[in-house]
């Protein structure tokens, strides 16, 4: 029997979906959910929305608009599990269990937190000015979303790859501390869809609410037509040949047209089709494809109780998975009933908790690296870049071999060398005493090391 791949996607509820959201995320996800080998979980990430937005009306409106958009777009709730994050009380409880094993050093390296700190420093503010614990611990909540349902694949943009890697780190740490030989959490993989469209907006930049250049998806046909009329084009008059490959309008048309429609439209632009008529053709194409879905959207928005019922059914399906799994995790960490409690192998647990571990990951440029983390999760080493995972694996095995370490100090840091080449580096330290203590901790961690 073929194991179904579990795919999980969260949609943050802070805005109204536009045409770029639909082409880039919603449409491909709905198509993927129709795969018989996929077990798809889609959720409204409304806890995440609270990190970014403190307007209750906006969050409530966005939850409804995004739910209606996915349902109107053809999401089959009988094939997938579609739910609100806030309807799953096991999620915040798992978040706390994971928070208790997540290393602060790991969260310090989160891109969003570091960017906020850097911005504060640049403007002369206190480094943590305006930074909430929600923003800081966002990666742990995302890890709980993913690990609760043991997702195999998590479709994300490149800016979110780090969060999936952090979910792996935190999940591995939990398994290591409490698994006693059992792997509670599946290690998720980021799924980057290179072929997914990133649509240009009215001005040619990426379609985004922050640029105010979006084309409405389901608000009304008039709104869509008005937006299309504002697409920036060049000054070539009707009758003059247009350049489809450098036309934002053509790129938008291409994202929704069949091959035959695309070729016909390209030929007409090369033959001098006027921009006004070209915009009319784009509206007709989009209206033809999205008109029925727009009607379904407005029906759903006028009957919120129907959406509420569907989401509660989805929450029931999700909790049927989450509740028994959380009970296992509570048992594992010692939150057990006083009746019939099983004796925990304390000695074995303590021994396992002392071990350091390697964590491998892949950079955006395709290279492979690893971290050596101490038992408390703090980073002892960060490797150099390797062309492939096998080469990185060979180095980790050599470091675990028990051979004498070639450690070379460099100012207030150090590097580890193998066969005449530097393979990994430490962080910088405040003074030589701290650096030397870290070298000793490294030697202890590698004598011996459990992988």
């Amino acid at each position: 029997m073929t194991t179904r791949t579990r795919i999980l996607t969260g949609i943050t509820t802070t805005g109204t979906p536009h045409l770029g959201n639909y082409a880039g995320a919603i449409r491909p996800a709905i198509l993927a959910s129709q795969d018989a080998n996929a077990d798809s979980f889609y959720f409204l990430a409304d806890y995440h929305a609270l990190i970014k937005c403190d307007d209750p009306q906006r969050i409530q409106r966005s939850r409804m608009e995004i739910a209606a958009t996915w349902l109107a777009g053809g999401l089959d709730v009988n094939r997938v599990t579609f739910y609100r994050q806030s309807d799953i009380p096991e999620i915040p409880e798992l978040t706390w269990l994971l928070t208790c094993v997540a290393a602060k050093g790991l969260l310090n390296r989160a891109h969003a937190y570091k960017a906020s700190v850097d911005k504060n420093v640049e403007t002369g503010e206190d480094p943590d000015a305006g930074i909430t614990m929600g923003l800081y611990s966002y990666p742990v909540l995302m890890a709980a979303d993913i690990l609760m349902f043991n997702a195999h694949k998590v479709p994300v943009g490149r800016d979110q790859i780090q969060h999936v890697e952090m979910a792996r780190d935190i999940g591995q740490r939990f398994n290591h501390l409490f698994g006693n030989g059992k792997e509670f959490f599946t290690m998720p993989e980021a799924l980057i869809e290179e072929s997914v469209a990133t649509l240009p907006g009215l001005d040619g930049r990426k379609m985004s609410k922050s640029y105010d250049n979006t084309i409405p998806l389901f608000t009304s046909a008039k709104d869509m037509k008005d937006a299309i009329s504002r697409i920036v084009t060049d000054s070539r008059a009707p009758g003059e040949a247009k350049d489809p490959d450098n036309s934002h309008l053509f790129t938008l048309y291409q994202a929704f047209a069949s091959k035959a429609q695309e070729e016909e439209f390209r030929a007409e632009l090369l033959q001098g089709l006027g921009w006004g008529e070209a915009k009319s053709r784009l509206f007709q194409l989009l209206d033809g494809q999205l008109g029925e879905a727009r009607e379904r959207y407005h029906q759903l928005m006028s009957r919120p109780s129907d959406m509420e019922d569907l989401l509660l059914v989805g929450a029931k399906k999700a909790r049927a998975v989450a509740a028994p799994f959380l009970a296992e995790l509570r048992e594992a960490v010692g939150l057990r009933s006083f009746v019939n409690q099983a004796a925990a192998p304390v000695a074995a647990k303590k021994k396992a908790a002392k071990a350091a571990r390697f964590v491998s990951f892949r950079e955006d440029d395709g290279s492979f690296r690893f971290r050596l983390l101490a038992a408390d999760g703090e980073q002892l080493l960060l490797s150099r870049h390797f062309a492939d995972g096998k080469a990185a694996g060979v180095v980790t095995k050599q470091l675990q071999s028990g051979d004498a370490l070639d450690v070379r100090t460099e100012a207030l840091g150090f590097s580890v060398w193998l066969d005449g080449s530097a393979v990994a580096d430490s962080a910088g330290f405040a003074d030589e005493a701290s650096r030397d203590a870290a070298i000793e901790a490294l030697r202890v961690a590698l004598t011996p090391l459990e992988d």
Side-chain angles (χ1 to χ4, degrees):
M1 182 177 176
T2 304
T3 302
R4 298 174 73 198
T5 300
R6 183 164 288 179
I7 300 172
L8 182 137
T9 299
I11 311 101
T12 307
T13 55
T14 53
T16 302
H18 53 70
L19 198 67
N21 300 141
Y22 179 76
I26 299 169
R27 181 176 63 179
I30 290 172
L31 288 172
S33 73
Q34 295 165 5
D35 181 350
N37 292 320
D39 182 17
S40 299
F41 282 64
Y42 296 108
F43 67 96
L44 305 179
D46 45 5
Y47 280 147
H48 289 293
L50 300 178
I51 298 167
K52 304 176 181 180
C53 178
D54 58 6
D55 181 346
Q57 283 72 35
R58 180 182 174 190
I59 285 176
Q60 174 66 350
R61 179 73 182 178
S62 178
R63 292 161 91 227
M64 291 178 60
E65 289 174 338
I66 291 174
T69 297
W70 280 76
L71 294 168
L75 188 68
D76 184 350
V77 295
N78 295 314
R79 296 180 66 102
V80 306
T81 304
F82 185 52
Y83 58 97
R84 281 176 300 222
Q85 184 185 34
S86 59
D87 284 336
I88 315 299
E90 292 80 9
I91 294 290
E93 185 169 353
L94 177 57
T95 300
W96 182 249
L97 298 186
L98 298 179
T99 298
C100 292
V101 303
K104 180 175 181 290
L106 182 68
L107 299 183
N108 286 343
R109 294 189 290 273
H111 296 327
Y113 171 65
K114 286 176 64 178
S116 297
V117 170
D118 290 346
K119 185 176 179 181
N120 283 336
V121 171
E122 285 175 15
T123 56
E125 296 275 359
D126 179 89
D128 286 327
I131 297 175
T132 65
M133 282 303 298
L135 173 65
Y136 183 74
S137 60
Y138 169 93
V140 188
L141 176 57
M142 185 165 173
D145 292 326
I146 296 167
L147 297 174
M148 174 59 82
F149 297 105
N150 280 311
H152 301 104
K153 305 283 186 182
V154 185
V156 290
R158 291 200 169 275
D159 60 334
Q160 291 283 323
I161 293 175
Q162 186 196 41
H163 288 135
V164 180
E165 296 289 353
M166 292 172 87
R168 291 173 63 93
D169 285 353
I170 295 168
Q172 283 178 331
R173 177 68 176 154
F174 189 98
N175 285 345
H176 179 72
L177 286 175
F178 302 111
N180 195 29
K182 178 175 181 178
E183 298 290 312
F184 285 109
F185 296 122
T186 298
M187 293 299 103
E189 293 182 16
L191 182 62
I192 306 299
E193 294 284 358
E194 301 290 359
S195 61
V196 168
T198 299
L199 293 191
L202 305 180
D203 57 2
R205 293 182 293 178
K206 175 185 175 182
M207 191 177 295
S208 169
K209 292 183 287 293
S210 61
Y211 295 147
D212 193 26
N213 68 350
T214 62
I215 296 176
L217 180 60
F218 289 148
T219 50
S220 72
K222 181 180 183 301
D223 287 345
M224 178 182 282
K225 192 169 188 176
D226 288 346
I228 290 171
S229 72
R230 299 195 303 275
I231 294 174
V232 175
T233 55
D234 62 34
S235 58
R236 298 181 200 187
E240 290 185 75
K242 313 298 188 296
D243 180 4
D245 295 325
N246 288 298
S247 164
H248 314 314
L249 192 152
F250 180 76
T251 302
L252 287 164
Y253 190 95
Q254 195 175 30
F256 290 87
S258 66
K259 196 65 182 174
Q261 288 172 321
E262 176 191 335
E263 290 173 357
E264 181 182 358
F265 193 54
R266 175 187 287 275
E268 289 183 303
L269 287 171
L270 291 170
Q271 291 165 13
L273 182 70
W275 287 124
E277 178 60 24
K279 290 177 180 180
S280 178
R281 298 280 183 87
L282 175 60
F283 169 73
Q284 290 166 14
L285 176 72
L286 294 175
D287 192 52
Q289 287 196 23
L290 300 173
E292 289 185 16
R294 185 191 300 123
E295 286 186 24
R296 289 196 297 272
Y297 172 87
H298 288 291
Q299 288 171 1
L300 287 161
M301 288 295 289
S302 68
R303 297 178 60 87
S305 61
D306 290 353
M307 287 193 288
E308 183 73 16
D309 291 344
L310 290 173
L311 285 163
L312 289 178
V313 169
K316 186 175 181 180
K317 286 168 65 177
R319 293 197 68 196
V321 176
F325 186 41
L326 185 66
E328 281 187 65
L329 301 177
R330 287 172 62 93
E331 178 82 15
V333 301
L335 303 179
R336 302 168 180 148
S337 166
F338 291 168
V339 181
N340 298 325
Q341 60 176 323
V346 177
K349 194 79 69 178
K350 285 183 178 178
K351 182 180 178 182
K354 292 179 182 178
R357 71 197 190 283
F358 285 108
V359 176
S360 301
F361 61 99
R362 192 172 188 176
E363 291 282 20
D364 292 352
D365 63 6
S367 65
F368 289 80
R369 304 180 78 181
F370 62 79
R371 296 188 182 97
L372 174 59
L373 303 180
D376 62 0
E378 287 299 312
Q379 182 172 295
L380 299 175
L381 282 178
L382 175 63
S383 79
R384 301 286 175 96
H385 296 262
F386 297 94
D388 54 62
K390 183 178 180 181
V394 168
V395 171
T396 63
K397 295 298 182 187
Q398 286 182 268
L399 291 176
Q400 296 175 76
S401 67
D403 293 342
L405 283 179
D406 182 0
V407 178
R408 305 184 188 183
T409 57
E410 300 167 359
L412 294 179
F414 62 85
S415 57
V416 175
W417 292 62
L418 287 174
D419 302 324
S421 299
V423 295
D425 305 286
S426 73
F429 298 94
D431 51 50
E432 290 184 0
S434 299
R435 180 199 65 197
D436 294 344
I439 293 173
E440 181 58 28
L442 174 66
R443 294 188 189 281
V444 171
L446 290 173
T447 315
L449 177 71
E450 288 185 17
D451 196 359

